Amino acid sequence: MAFHRRIFEATYSLIAVLFLLAWLRETAALRPLRDRPSPGSLSWGDERLFLRRDGNDPNPYSRWNITGTYRGRWSFAGTSNGSSKFLDFGKSNGMSVFELASTPTKINGVHYVQGAVIFHDVHDGGHDLGVAQMRVEGVYIWPFKQLRLVVSSGSEGELLQEDHFMSNPYHLLGAFSSQVFQESPGEKVRRKKMLMSDMEKHCNIEIAAQVSRISSFQADGEHDCYRLEGLMESPAVEDDGECFSPILLNATSLNVEVYYNKAVNYTLLVTFISFLQVLLLIRQMEHSNTQSGAAKVSIIMIGQQAIMDAYLCLLHLTAGILVESLFNAFATAAFFKFVVFSIFEMRYLLAIWKACRPLGNGEGWEAMRRELSVLYSRFYGILLGGILVMYEFHNFLRPILFMMYSFWIPQIINNVIQDTRKPLHPHYILGMSVTRLAIPLYIFGCPNNFMRVKVDRDWCISLIIFMGFQALILLLQHYLGSRWFIPRKILPEKYCYSRRQESNSTRASDCVICMTTIDLTRRSSDYMVTPCDHFFHSGCLQRWMDIKMECPTCRRSLPPA
């Protein structure tokens, strides 16, 4: 019995020693690079457990493929950056993105890694100074899950030649959205070159990180997700001291399939919105299917919406060309936007233009063709000019979007000037306001949007209030009158269709619309008198004016009722 007990105690002691040695080895692997033994005291030959050149795996660890995109946080190990040799960080923490591509080497257990590290929220204020990017390369020792990287000064275009970055929708769509919604490529390149120049002069930057697998419960989807936790620091160079205080890094790999599904769901949303807008346009065109009804609609309002849909068509088509794996989804969304603006809105635009020039219909085809060419030239000129303006003034994209979303204002002004009655259907007003808001609210308001655009809740709330205010005024004009908010004292004198006939008031007259007799002895609200002294039933003339603003008897123009 004592003999068995001694054997058990010896075995337990041996296991404890082995666990202690393993723990010490793992702890040493996590130490910062400058605290590790010098290269002379630690050689690759000492790691003979996993650096054998045969094809057999040295241990039960699997080859985790760390190629992908990682997103997480960075923060200074101390309170702030302690040196000005590196970038002058204006903040002590922020978001970070790793773009890594891992390839096997001839040495078993070692993978070559290259990629980029992007630091967001580097400076206070402004989108153009809030991002810093550096190119990195190094090794990934997969049996021990160790990642060792150094900042590389490779050429500007080397990184984008990797297959991973050319096929990763997260990387490409993120770069596309940053150029469209935040900054221009030129400023980004200049900042990167300046950063690389400063680091080459003063700093040697090294990154040591530990790779771990995330449990399937925490991971987003069924695919493996990994976490990087480590330290970025700069050992002293020629006794110049540190370039910056050590920076703690942690990032989690993104499931590209989930990101892909988000992009596809977004294109489905755009397609559904485009379908709804087609139905709303058809409803509005039926509401104003007469010459008089079409003339009440502002041609500027319809043209402004058509230009917005043309821009959305171009943006989605560009995104589809940029990311080949998402081409079908984005091309479908772009096609529906093309249908909205090129078929329905342009057709409605021409109907309004024709209704606003009734006297020009008899001028001949040559005159009409000249006027049509002028109309198309103005439309496409504004379309191309708007693209140049947004490219040059991309820093003011949000105010430009505010101006584009003021498309109801021309209709409000047109209602006041012409004193029109019910030019737009209420369903069209409400439906267009809601569907137009869906895309900008997703881009700037959804925290998990696939375009990686920073959420701006204040701007989203302002846009909703602005659009709601325009729609409210239009609805009140529909039910209370076009000039309900203008004081009566400053309104021009309006013709009264209910005036009484002073001379020979007892005579009878026939309504040429319904061909029945009008009793002029009754109250004046039962009949209406035109400026050319022709009498009609009130209901008959109102229905007529919804079709034509001309006198049914003598064809003279009629003032608004």
Side-chain angles (χ1 to χ4, degrees):
M1 200 64 182
F3 174 74
H4 289 291
R5 184 173 62 187
R6 283 195 296 269
I7 291 177
F8 176 77
E9 291 175 353
T11 304
Y12 180 80
S13 301
L14 180 60
I15 293 174
V17 170
L18 290 176
F19 271 106
L20 179 61
L21 290 175
W23 179 80
L24 289 174
R25 187 165 189 172
E26 293 293 331
T27 305
L30 283 175
R31 286 185 296 170
L33 292 180
R34 60 182 177 182
D35 294 339
R36 300 285 303 276
S38 63
S41 61
L42 179 60
S43 64
W44 288 106
D46 294 335
E47 306 291 352
R48 58 185 179 275
L49 288 176
F50 63 94
L51 298 184
R52 297 181 301 178
R53 293 182 180 272
D54 56 14
N56 298 325
D57 288 344
N59 52 41
Y61 283 110
S62 60
R63 293 186 181 93
W64 292 352
N65 184 9
I66 63 171
T67 297
T69 302
Y70 297 77
R71 184 173 61 184
R73 305 289 301 179
W74 65 267
S75 61
F76 284 106
T79 55
S80 62
N81 185 12
S83 172
S84 61
K85 294 181 183 179
F86 189 61
L87 266 182
D88 186 15
F89 279 66
K91 294 185 178 181
S92 59
N93 60 79
M95 191 184 77
S96 61
V97 176
F98 288 74
E99 301 279 3
L100 302 179
S102 174
T103 55
T105 64
K106 294 182 179 180
I107 303 176
N108 187 31
V110 176
H111 286 195
Y112 173 67
V113 179
Q114 66 176 150
V117 181
I118 306 168
F119 293 95
H120 294 265
D121 309 318
V122 173
H123 300 282
D124 289 315
H127 293 283
D128 293 335
L129 299 177
V131 181
Q133 178 173 334
M134 60 183 68
R135 188 180 186 276
V136 294
E137 60 182 349
V139 295
Y140 166 52
I141 310 172
W142 59 262
F144 293 99
K145 312 308 173 194
Q146 302 298 313
L147 182 63
R148 297 292 183 264
L149 302 172
V150 295
V151 173
S152 169
S153 58
S155 62
E156 185 67 30
E158 271 185 28
L159 180 62
L160 295 179
Q161 296 175 2
E162 294 294 333
D163 293 337
H164 164 68
F165 299 105
M166 293 304 294
S167 61
N168 186 353
Y170 182 84
H171 173 77
L172 292 176
L173 284 177
F176 172 73
S177 62
S178 66
Q179 293 176 12
V180 173
F181 295 106
Q182 296 180 18
E183 60 185 354
S184 67
E187 292 175 348
K188 189 173 182 179
V189 170
R190 286 197 298 271
R191 185 171 60 251
K192 288 166 64 176
K193 288 183 177 179
M194 182 176 63
L195 171 62
M196 294 305 304
S197 175
D198 290 343
M199 290 190 298
E200 288 176 11
K201 291 179 181 178
H202 303 290
C203 300
N204 287 335
I205 301 176
E206 301 171 347
I207 299 175
Q210 177 77 18
V211 183
S212 60
R213 190 199 298 264
I214 298 178
S215 64
S216 58
F217 177 76
Q218 296 176 341
D220 191 4
E222 298 179 356
H223 293 266
D224 293 335
C225 290
Y226 305 104
R227 176 177 289 132
L228 303 180
E229 294 179 324
L231 191 70
M232 186 178 84
E233 53 187 351
S234 174
V237 179
E238 298 178 356
D239 298 329
D240 286 341
E242 293 181 327
C243 286
F244 57 93
S245 301
I247 296 178
L248 298 175
L249 300 173
N250 69 83
T252 304
S253 63
L254 296 172
N255 192 336
V256 178
E257 183 177 350
V258 173
Y259 183 80
Y260 178 92
N261 292 334
K262 286 184 179 180
V264 172
N265 291 335
Y266 165 79
T267 58
L268 292 176
L269 172 66
V270 175
T271 303
F272 178 70
I273 288 173
S274 302
F275 180 72
L276 289 180
Q277 289 174 352
V278 168
L279 296 180
L280 292 169
L281 279 168
I282 294 174
R283 183 70 176 270
Q284 172 59 27
M285 293 169 72
E286 292 176 351
H287 177 73
S288 58
N289 59 352
T290 62
Q291 180 181 352
S292 175
K296 297 176 184 178
V297 181
S298 172
I299 193 171
I300 299 177
M301 182 264 294
I302 297 297
Q304 194 169 342
Q305 294 189 54
I307 289 175
M308 290 172 59
D309 288 323
Y311 288 153
L312 289 173
C313 174
L314 293 175
L315 282 175
H316 290 92
L317 186 61
T318 304
I321 295 173
L322 185 66
V323 185
E324 185 178 355
S325 59
L326 293 172
F327 176 78
N328 292 336
F330 277 94
T332 303
F335 172 75
F336 272 86
K337 278 298 175 185
F338 177 80
V339 169
V340 171
F341 95 88
S342 66
I343 297 179
F344 291 93
E345 288 175 334
M346 289 302 296
R347 178 185 174 186
Y348 197 28
L349 194 72
L350 291 176
I352 297 171
W353 170 79
K354 186 177 180 181
C356 291
R357 51 184 302 279
L359 299 179
N361 293 332
E363 295 178 358
W365 170 245
E366 290 297 330
M368 181 176 293
R369 187 173 64 178
R370 284 196 301 270
E371 292 188 18
L372 272 176
S373 64
V374 171
L375 178 67
Y376 276 101
S377 300
R378 288 177 180 176
F379 176 82
Y380 288 105
I382 294 174
L383 180 65
L384 296 177
I387 295 176
L388 296 177
V389 169
M390 286 189 288
Y391 180 81
E392 291 295 330
F393 298 96
H394 60 275
N395 293 330
F396 305 96
L397 183 61
R398 287 171 173 80
I400 292 175
L401 288 177
F402 247 89
M403 294 176 60
M404 295 178 66
Y405 272 80
S406 62
F407 54 84
W408 290 133
I409 293 180
Q411 183 63 55
I412 296 173
I413 296 174
N414 187 73
N415 293 346
V416 174
I417 294 175
Q418 297 185 7
D419 194 17
T420 56
R421 298 176 60 253
K422 302 179 179 180
L424 302 179
H425 197 282
H427 293 172
Y428 177 77
I429 298 173
L430 294 174
M432 275 295 176
S433 299
V434 173
T435 55
R436 294 285 180 196
L437 282 173
I439 295 178
L441 291 183
Y442 173 81
I443 296 174
F444 296 103
C446 180
N448 296 320
N449 68 83
F450 76 97
M451 293 185 181
R452 295 160 55 185
V453 177
K454 188 176 180 180
V455 173
D456 192 346
R457 299 185 186 279
D458 294 337
W459 184 85
C460 293
I461 294 174
S462 301
L463 183 65
I464 292 174
I465 295 175
F466 182 58
M467 285 292 296
F469 181 70
Q470 296 178 68
L472 179 63
I473 292 179
L474 278 176
L475 291 174
L476 292 177
Q477 284 183 328
H478 180 85
Y479 293 107
L480 302 181
S482 300
R483 299 175 177 177
W484 65 269
F485 55 89
I486 299 178
R488 294 182 179 274
K489 295 181 180 180
I490 63 176
L491 286 176
E493 187 176 354
K494 188 176 180 180
Y495 176 77
C496 180
Y497 280 92
S498 300
R499 64 184 179 88
R500 297 186 64 87
Q501 185 70 10
E502 296 178 0
S503 61
N504 198 13
S505 59
T506 60
R507 71 178 178 89
S509 178
D510 293 335
C511 175
V512 299
I513 300 175
C514 63
M515 305 304 294
T516 58
T517 304
I518 303 172
D519 188 1
L520 299 180
T521 60
R522 304 183 63 180
R523 60 182 183 274
S524 59
S525 59
D526 292 339
Y527 61 90
M528 299 175 71
V529 185
T530 62
C532 48
D533 291 333
H534 294 119
F535 292 81
F536 307 93
H537 290 113
S538 297
C540 295
L541 186 61
Q542 288 177 358
R543 288 191 297 271
W544 176 269
M545 287 193 295
D546 288 336
I547 301 174
K548 285 185 178 182
M549 293 300 292
E550 297 176 355
C551 176
T553 303
C554 63
R555 303 300 180 184
R556 288 182 58 181
S557 297
L558 297 177

